[in-house]
Amino acid sequence: MFIGFGSCTNQIMTIVILSFTFLFYVSSIVSIFYQGGFVYLSTSVVILSSSVTSALFSILTLICFALKRKGELIYVFGFMVVFVLLTFVFYLILRGYRMRLLAVLDSYPEEMSKFIEIVRSKNYFLNLCLVGFIYAHPICVDLKIFEFAIERWKSDPVINFAFAKFNAIYLEETNRLIWIYFNVSLNKLNGPTIRCIKEQTLGII
């Protein structure tokens, strides 16, 4: 869409729009790994493949424009071929990444110091959670995965929301939901995520 619009503008505007398009596609790659990303592997693969392919062809379009070369039909076929190849490659990469996360869960640390050493960021922890619950890993099913995370990031709305969300799956765990409710209240956390936690918790208990 942006590339088509850029072809109808002057030279400077076209370069700006093509550059913006490239940056947009590159930034969309982050969504694959941001706060757990997508549940379905196929969704992640398609988004990653289309983003990378589109970013590459944004550069190609910019080069053609700079060299004053007209687009050719072969570029369209090239786009499809590259997309199919990248889809296959990224499927193997993302599947391998999920298997590595499962391996981390298999040797999940039992001490806070080890937890901090292995799980270095909230985003990485949420990726572990996603993969663990997809494959019903025991440490996720019994919610032990959240013990150190809540202690380390007790004031983080997203971590609390993830904990509450997975607790809500098991209705017998209402005591934990009540604890989460009081935890976010005592820490005076605010925002739409916290409001959702409180509303949903009160609705369940």
Side-chain angles (χ1 to χ4, degrees), residues 4-172:
F5 178 74
S7 64
C8 301
T9 59
N10 59 50
Q11 184 175 6
I12 296 177
M13 185 59 69
T14 300
I15 293 174
V16 170
I17 292 174
L18 288 173
S19 300
F20 173 78
T21 304
F22 170 75
L23 293 174
F24 171 78
Y25 285 125
V26 170
S27 63
S28 65
I29 295 173
V30 179
S31 64
I32 305 300
F33 307 100
Y34 182 65
Q35 294 187 355
F38 301 91
V39 173
Y40 294 108
L41 180 60
S42 57
T43 303
S44 299
V45 170
V46 170
I47 291 176
L48 185 56
S49 300
S50 58
S51 297
V52 173
T53 304
S54 299
L56 291 174
F57 275 82
S58 295
I59 296 176
L60 178 62
T61 304
L62 188 59
I63 293 173
C64 289
F65 178 78
L67 298 176
K68 297 182 179 180
R69 291 190 58 178
K70 293 183 178 180
E72 300 178 11
L73 186 61
I74 192 172
Y75 295 160
V76 178
F77 289 107
F79 182 94
M80 292 187 289
V81 171
V82 171
F83 175 76
V84 172
L85 290 175
L86 287 179
T87 298
F88 177 73
V89 171
F90 287 139
Y91 170 78
L92 296 178
I93 292 174
L94 292 180
R95 187 174 182 277
Y97 175 68
R98 290 193 170 188
M99 293 302 104
R100 288 194 296 275
L101 291 179
L102 281 176
V104 172
L105 291 173
D106 287 339
S107 57
Y108 201 71
E110 297 182 359
E111 299 177 359
M112 176 59 85
S113 58
K114 289 290 185 179
F115 175 82
I116 294 174
E117 180 182 340
I118 295 174
V119 186
R120 297 184 178 180
S121 68
K122 292 176 287 186
N123 194 70
Y124 184 71
F125 172 75
L126 291 171
N127 278 278
L128 281 173
C129 286
L130 176 72
V131 173
F133 279 101
I134 287 175
Y135 292 97
H137 195 281
I139 201 169
C140 293
V141 173
D142 64 11
L143 302 175
K144 287 181 65 177
I145 191 172
F146 284 100
E147 289 181 357
F148 292 139
I150 288 295
E151 183 179 343
R152 184 179 179 187
W153 298 299
K154 60 183 177 181
S155 298
D156 187 86
V158 177
I159 298 296
N160 279 281
F161 181 76
F163 190 27
K165 183 176 182 180
F166 289 118
N167 263 284
I169 298 174
Y170 308 99
L171 296 179
E172 65 273 12

Side-chain angles (χ1 to χ4, degrees), residues 71 196 198:
C196 181
K198 292 180 177 180

